[in-house]
Amino acid sequence: MMKYLSLGMLASLLWLGCYDTGIKAKLPGRYTRYIQGDYGLAWDTLTIVHLRDHRYHVKRSTGSRSRLDGKLLAKKLEHRNWQTELDLATGVLSGEAFAPWLRWVRDSSKVYLGGLAFQKNN
């Protein structure tokens, strides 16, 4: 009986190890959104870097150019950095107080920040 229990635990650990490796290979990268309209254009980039275990560093870079009388005005750029932890059960990346929550969809190459969808580039 103890032999079967040990084999079951070993199989579970191996499965989790492979599962973790898949996440570490798929989640990190650069995710982008681009919007263009009558009043200007905007781009939004999330860069996700694996730190250790289920911890990740996220950098959000946001840029925009307003349009006035048909001409684009100067660029406006903003950057924000935070660290987060991945919940394997839900695919939610959360962490520091006041940091945005991200939702990662494993079967696609998308990350969601609120209702905004970011597509993976690399």
Side-chain angles (χ1 to χ4, degrees), residues 27-31 33 44-49 55-61 80-96 98-106 110-118:
L27 177 58
R30 179 172 288 171
Y31 297 81
R33 314 182 58 240
D44 210 348
T45 303
L46 293 174
T47 304
I48 301 175
V49 177
R55 303 264 322 150
Y56 293 86
H57 176 89
V58 179
K59 178 181 180 182
R60 183 177 186 188
S61 301
R80 181 165 181 205
N81 293 284
W82 68 93
Q83 291 191 10
T84 182
E85 190 164 329
L86 175 64
D87 182 339
L88 294 175
T90 62
V92 171
L93 292 145
S94 63
E96 299 173 351
F98 306 109
W101 286 28
L102 300 172
R103 186 172 51 90
W104 175 53
V105 181
R106 290 180 184 95
K110 291 186 181 177
V111 168
Y112 292 88
L113 175 64
L116 307 175
F118 290 76

Side-chain angles (χ1 to χ4, degrees), residues 5-17:
L5 183 61
S6 296
L7 287 173
M9 288 176 59
L10 180 62
S12 297
L13 287 173
L14 288 173
W15 181 80
L16 282 174

Side-chain angles (χ1 to χ4, degrees), residues 23-34:
I23 291 171
K24 290 175 189 172
K26 290 182 182 178
L27 177 58
R30 179 172 288 171
Y31 297 81
T32 57
R33 314 182 58 240
Y34 182 79

Side-chain angles (χ1 to χ4, degrees), residues 31-43:
Y31 297 81
T32 57
R33 314 182 58 240
Y34 182 79
I35 302 165
Q36 185 170 354
D38 293 338
Y39 301 104
L41 52 100
W43 56 95

